[in-house]
Amino acid sequence: MAAHPLLDDLRTALGEAAVLTDPDLLRLHERDEADLCAAGSPLVVVRPRTTEEVVAVVRAAGRHGVPVVPQGARTGLAGAANAVDGAVLVSTVAMDRILEVDPVSRIAVVQPGVVNAALAGAVRAHGLWYPPDPGSWESSTIGGNVATNAGGMCCVKYGVTTEYVLGLEVVLASGEVLRTGRRTAKGVAGYDLTRLFVGSEGTLGVITEVTVALRPAPEESLTLVAVFPTTAAAGTAVAGIAERGLIPSLLELLDQTHLRAIEAYRPMGLRTDAQALLLAAVDTGSRAADDLARLAEVCTAAGADEVYAATDAEEAAALLQARRLAHPAMEKFAADAFPGGNGGLVIDDVAVPRGALAALLDGVARIAEECAVPIGVVGHAGDGNMHPNIVVDRADPAGLARGRRAFDEIMRLGLELGGTCTGEHGVGLLKRDWLAREIGPVGVRVHQAIKAALDPAGLFNPGKVL
């Protein structure tokens, strides 16, 4: 079979080493970390290093009518980076330069392949901080974080990625380079195109440069753990914390399934008899001890069996690490749950108003029983964003069907409680139908009109989002 003529164009533009066609490498790049989402067979993976090379790739793909799928570290959980058949996968991992850190303006300018943790380390040397910290922060890239509008554990106080993106450089489907946003502390000129591209999941353009806002490094935090007899009691505590006007810098929930999975994955003395655990922190400087005591009072009033504060920074870091191990621990739990290692995870990402969190947690427990599937719940309790992990047997069609039903029932419940189908993972392939239900027909038409205006041939990440 003759080689696709696009490959010669790509090699001319990027060089042989940046154009990957080895079948094993293509398979490696077919999908992100979303289990059970469909993925196609790509034509080629390219690794450009500059905006000019991305322009050349996009224009060549356009001439040949070949789809373009941008990829970062492929740590996403909704299938947004999954390949489609015959596509060019534009891997941005080689675009990994931190171009500028300006401590006066408190901004950084980076290429999209910069790893979140690398940016955090670079700005720390200037006494600054980049708050968005998704669970995959040690491997996920800023470009991928921007494309999915990633969240993280600090969001309860400091917000998600979009609140830190000041400007973007984006290669459009036409091959033109668009610059959006600003470097200034204030600016309201024109439509907010920057926010249009944040969270667009590669469907509107390829992000090639990001200007982010930074903050002064936070005060040292104090941490506590509260253990609850039910997940709903933990949800009641979260509502009470919000009602009291307390603003923790972190407020995370792990249910018993997760506590047991983490303890089996890496023993650290967690209370596996607890039905739920809240992990909270405050970074309010001289008020921190008082604020932590007020959090403890609310947890006790909500029915916590035990509340204790971390004795030092080392213990606090260990507790935070336990939370970060939730995803790999549940992956192992799922793999071990069925013969032959066929267990998989369908990870939900529903967010509800804080006052509805207890109802959501009760509802997930009911859905797990009705659908006869194990479901563990973990998430960012402080902003109502929960991640029910539905455990399924990939080899059992009936079990997969029950898992899918549970996923849909959780989505339906979240919307009925006034929530959203995705708090931070994005839509990708996993939630296309639920996005349409959430935004309604007018919202769908507006989305489609924007897509058609920027990508009239529909070549950028087709089949994702809508």
Side-chain angles (χ1 to χ4, degrees), residues 278-421:
L278 279 183
L279 175 63
V282 291
D283 60 359
T284 48
S286 60
R287 302 197 322 272
D290 289 341
D291 288 343
L292 201 71
R294 294 170 69 195
L295 287 176
E297 289 173 4
V298 174
C299 291
T300 300
D305 290 335
E306 180 182 6
V307 180
Y308 63 91
T311 56
D312 53 32
E314 184 177 348
E315 184 179 7
L319 291 168
L320 182 59
Q321 179 63 12
R323 169 61 182 88
R324 291 195 184 280
L325 289 174
H327 181 56
M330 281 299 293
E331 285 185 317
K332 186 175 188 306
F333 173 87
D336 294 345
F338 299 101
N342 288 317
L345 288 178
V346 181
I347 300 178
D348 224 321
D349 173 42
V350 62
V352 297
R354 294 182 186 93
L357 184 59
L360 174 68
L361 294 169
D362 276 344
V364 170
R366 172 182 52 77
I367 290 166
E369 184 176 353
E370 290 176 353
C371 296
V373 292
I375 302 178
V377 181
V378 66
H380 315 303
D383 48 26
N385 185 192
M386 290 289 101
H387 302 312
N389 283 226
I390 304 164
V391 182
V392 296
D393 183 354
R394 293 190 185 94
D396 177 14
L400 288 174
R402 291 196 304 273
R404 183 69 212 191
R405 178 187 161 207
F407 177 88
D408 288 340
E409 288 300 319
I410 292 169
M411 287 282 91
R412 183 175 292 107
L413 174 63
L415 295 186
E416 289 173 353
L417 292 173
T420 177
C421 68

Side-chain angles (χ1 to χ4, degrees), residues 38-423:
S41 299
L43 170 67
V44 61
V45 175
V46 295
R47 290 180 175 166
R49 292 186 175 274
T50 66
T51 299
E52 292 73 22
E53 289 183 349
V54 174
V55 168
V57 170
V58 169
R59 286 180 172 166
R63 288 195 300 271
H64 293 276
V66 172
V68 173
V69 178
Q71 291 186 336
R74 305 188 313 282
T75 58
L77 293 167
N82 283 14
V84 297
D85 286 336
V88 176
L89 303 183
V90 182
S91 171
T92 59
V93 295
M95 300 180 72
D96 59 356
R97 290 185 297 143
I98 297 174
L99 303 173
E100 179 185 359
V101 176
D102 182 344
V104 176
S105 297
R106 294 181 185 165
I107 64 169
V109 182
V110 304
Q111 289 187 304
V114 171
V115 172
N116 186 299
L119 174 61
V123 304
R124 191 181 302 120
H126 297 272
L128 297 171
W129 182 42
Y130 179 66
D133 64 336
S136 58
W137 77 296
E138 291 180 310
S139 56
S140 65
T141 62
I142 297 299
N145 294 168
V146 171
T148 57
N149 196 10
M153 287 183 269
C154 293
C155 294
V156 60
K157 182 172 182 179
Y158 294 104
V160 298
T161 297
T162 190
E163 292 164 71
Y164 294 88
V165 180
L166 296 177
L168 295 170
E169 180 184 82
V170 184
V171 177
L172 302 178
S174 63
E176 297 172 291
V177 178
L178 170 69
R179 295 198 72 94
T180 74
R182 63 193 196 278
R183 294 170 58 97
T184 55
K186 295 171 64 179
V188 295
Y191 297 142
D192 192 346
L193 297 180
T194 301
R195 290 205 174 208
L196 174 63
F197 285 94
V198 175
S200 62
E201 303 185 34
T203 62
L204 302 180
V206 182
I207 294 168
T208 53
E209 187 178 289
V210 186
T211 301
V212 298
L214 306 172
R215 296 177 62 99
E219 300 275 357
E220 186 173 346
S221 61
L222 299 179
T223 303
L224 69 74
V225 168
V227 177
F228 291 87
T230 66
T231 53
T236 299
V238 171
I241 289 167
E243 188 175 14
R244 289 275 296 271
L246 299 171
I247 307 177
S249 57
L250 177 145
L251 187 55
E252 299 290 301
L253 181 145
L254 298 103
D255 74 350
Q256 186 178 67
T257 299
H258 276 83
L259 292 171
R260 290 179 174 177
I262 294 167
E263 189 66 16
Y265 182 75
R266 187 171 299 175
M268 53 182 66
L270 297 175
R271 279 275 306 272
T272 57
D273 61 317
Q275 291 298 312
L277 179 149
L278 279 183
L279 175 63
V282 291
D283 60 359
T284 48
S286 60
R287 302 197 322 272
D290 289 341
D291 288 343
L292 201 71
R294 294 170 69 195
L295 287 176
E297 289 173 4
V298 174
C299 291
T300 300
D305 290 335
E306 180 182 6
V307 180
Y308 63 91
T311 56
D312 53 32
E314 184 177 348
E315 184 179 7
L319 291 168
L320 182 59
Q321 179 63 12
R323 169 61 182 88
R324 291 195 184 280
L325 289 174
H327 181 56
M330 281 299 293
E331 285 185 317
K332 186 175 188 306
F333 173 87
D336 294 345
F338 299 101
N342 288 317
L345 288 178
V346 181
I347 300 178
D348 224 321
D349 173 42
V350 62
V352 297
R354 294 182 186 93
L357 184 59
L360 174 68
L361 294 169
D362 276 344
V364 170
R366 172 182 52 77
I367 290 166
E369 184 176 353
E370 290 176 353
C371 296
V373 292
I375 302 178
V377 181
V378 66
H380 315 303
D383 48 26
N385 185 192
M386 290 289 101
H387 302 312
N389 283 226
I390 304 164
V391 182
V392 296
D393 183 354
R394 293 190 185 94
D396 177 14
L400 288 174
R402 291 196 304 273
R404 183 69 212 191
R405 178 187 161 207
F407 177 88
D408 288 340
E409 288 300 319
I410 292 169
M411 287 282 91
R412 183 175 292 107
L413 174 63
L415 295 186
E416 289 173 353
L417 292 173
T420 177
C421 68
T422 176

